[in-house]
Amino acid sequence: MQKILVIKLRHHGDVLLTTALYRALHDQFPGVQIDTLIYKETTPLLQNNPHLNRVLCIDRKLKGFARLKAELGLVFETRRTRYDAVVHLTDQWVGALLARFSNTPVRVQMAYAKRDKALWHACFTHRVVPPPRGQAHAVELNLLCLQALGVNPRSLRGEMVLRPSPENLDKADKLLAQHKINGPFVLIHPAARWPFKCWEDDKFADVVVHLLNQGLHVVLTCSPDPVEVAMTAEIERLARAKFSTGSSQLVNVGGKMSLPLLAALLKLSKFYVGVDSAPMHMAAALNVPQVALFGPSWVQEWRPWSDKATVIYAGDFGPLPHPDSINTDDTTRLLSAIPTDVVIQAVNKLID
């Protein structure tokens, strides 16, 4: 294999989890050129990735003819590149058609029940069937595609890659200095893309106060989404109201940084606390200890890929809806059954 294209059209965390496959391909096929096709907004997580040659993008902000023109351009680009293999890890038709018209001799698909159709199968030469849902991690599922390339995926450990640039590490240092954080700090990212994955604000505030009382600094972060910014600001307000000896140890930089800068802050932190979201996977890729709170997700599939992670599952403390029954527009905080003292016990183990 000399040239391989991996297609992963999903969210930020999914793209980061795919870096273990890029690394495996790099190790198994010395000298191989690995390209990837992802959504444009997820590209920051692949900055400085040493195993990738090119990152191709689909810009979902383009509409109509502009979108069609851009995707046809990708078809012509893949044909010109003459890949030896295309690996399509998700169920979007654009990836399947791109694989089909690339004229690539080896075209690998993951089996999806919703795509069990003749036209879909005609786009590929190889089909990888995953185990039943919830029995393997997303990293392991991605590595299964190596079977079609003659590699036994079970012989590989699978290691994600996230490398903050020196420039962003310097920015992170300056940000910490600006806020007078000159000692160990814990990074807490309490929000997620979907509110149903979140814990209550007052409980997170209690954890923040506990960490402050232990003499640690706490840095709160979130995405620029207004709902996440408001949630993080409320946690800050509640924590400041409960913390009696001052507030200089607590900093809220929510909504004010890029993903590469967040990666640099994570790299410098003592440990991370958060929910099922992209920063959880970033902490795992950076080998940062963490406490991750989970609700109605496929925990085995989406837990942090790390032996330094403690996972606290809401289903251990109360009933949860089935993962496949979730309405992503539901604003109910489905992690509410998780007791505060359980999370505090978990962070205490990382403080020591």
Side-chain angles (χ1 to χ4, degrees):
M1 292 285 173
Q2 295 181 327
K3 298 179 182 179
I4 300 173
L5 174 66
V6 178
I7 303 173
K8 188 70 175 188
L9 300 171
R10 276 287 188 271
H11 301 304
H12 293 86
D14 306 76
V15 169
L16 182 55
L17 289 164
T18 312
T19 59
L21 176 60
Y22 307 148
R23 181 171 192 155
L25 289 168
H26 177 270
D27 293 344
Q28 295 298 312
F29 301 100
V32 68
Q33 170 186 314
I34 305 166
D35 295 348
T36 190
L37 172 63
I38 58 176
Y39 288 133
K40 184 177 180 180
E41 65 266 26
T42 64
T43 56
L45 289 174
L46 299 183
Q47 287 183 9
N48 307 311
N49 188 293
H51 307 127
L52 288 173
N53 174 65
R54 284 193 307 171
V55 177
L56 307 175
C57 300
I58 288 180
D59 186 350
R60 291 195 287 184
K61 292 182 180 179
L62 296 177
K63 304 296 180 184
F65 179 74
R67 177 80 173 261
L68 177 62
K69 181 180 178 182
E71 292 179 4
L72 284 174
L74 286 171
V75 171
F76 293 129
E77 178 63 24
T78 55
R79 288 175 73 95
R80 281 195 299 269
T81 304
R82 299 181 182 276
Y83 290 106
D84 298 296
V86 173
V87 178
H88 186 26
L89 295 172
T90 46
D91 60 5
Q92 290 90 342
W93 272 105
V94 62
L97 295 174
L98 189 70
R100 177 64 185 87
F101 291 113
S102 69
N103 275 350
T104 301
V106 177
R107 305 185 301 275
V108 185
Q109 62 158 311
M110 290 291 290
Y112 292 95
K114 65 186 288 187
R115 296 290 185 243
D116 192 11
K117 298 174 175 64
L119 179 58
W120 177 269
H121 295 313
C123 294
F124 301 97
T125 61
H126 294 72
R127 182 168 178 256
V128 176
V129 180
R133 193 77 193 266
Q135 293 189 13
H137 193 274
V139 167
E140 296 169 316
L141 295 174
N142 291 334
L143 293 176
L144 280 179
C145 290
L146 292 169
Q147 294 174 176
L149 307 182
V151 176
N152 177 10
R154 291 173 180 80
S155 66
L156 305 174
R157 181 173 181 268
E159 295 182 49
M160 291 191 292
V161 177
L162 180 61
R163 296 192 177 175
S165 68
E167 293 78 12
N168 278 305
L169 287 168
D170 184 58
K171 285 182 183 178
D173 275 328
K174 289 178 179 176
L175 179 66
L176 294 171
Q178 174 189 336
H179 290 283
K180 297 181 173 56
I181 297 178
N182 52 14
F185 72 94
V186 178
L187 194 148
I188 297 182
H189 192 100
R193 176 190 300 271
W194 294 300
F196 74 84
K197 290 185 172 185
C198 298
W199 204 29
E200 288 97 335
D201 297 342
D202 60 329
K203 291 182 178 178
F204 251 128
D206 286 340
V207 173
V208 170
V209 170
H210 175 75
L211 292 168
L212 297 175
N213 283 327
Q214 304 305 306
L216 292 165
H217 296 274
V218 173
V219 176
L220 296 173
T221 65
C222 68
S223 83
D225 180 86
V227 174
E228 294 193 23
V229 171
M231 179 189 303
T232 307
E234 177 63 7
I235 292 169
E236 178 192 13
R237 185 191 70 79
L238 290 169
R240 290 191 186 282
K242 295 177 181 183
F243 188 51
S244 59
T245 59
S247 59
S248 61
Q249 293 170 242
L250 175 59
V251 174
N252 180 4
V253 291
K256 299 176 183 177
M257 67 179 58
S258 64
L259 280 171
L261 181 54
L262 176 58
L265 269 180
L266 276 167
K267 180 74 173 177
L268 298 175
S269 68
K270 180 176 177 65
F271 61 87
Y272 168 78
V273 182
V275 295
D276 176 16
S277 62
M280 174 192 76
H281 296 301
M282 294 168 69
L286 292 164
N287 206 31
V288 173
Q290 66 171 290
V291 176
L293 282 59
F294 260 79
S297 302
W298 292 99
V299 180
Q300 180 60 27
E301 186 172 340
W302 298 114
R303 63 179 171 80
W305 186 249
S306 168
D307 57 7
K308 292 186 177 181
T310 298
V311 174
I312 301 175
Y313 175 49
D316 290 335
F317 305 96
L320 284 176
H322 190 277
D324 289 340
S325 71
I326 296 298
N327 173 10
T328 56
D329 293 327
D330 186 3
T331 58
T332 305
R333 307 276 184 97
L334 295 179
L335 276 65
S336 60
I338 297 176
T340 306
D341 64 330
V342 171
V343 179
I344 288 177
Q345 289 169 17
V347 300
N348 281 344
K349 293 177 181 178
L350 298 181
I351 293 172
D352 297 337

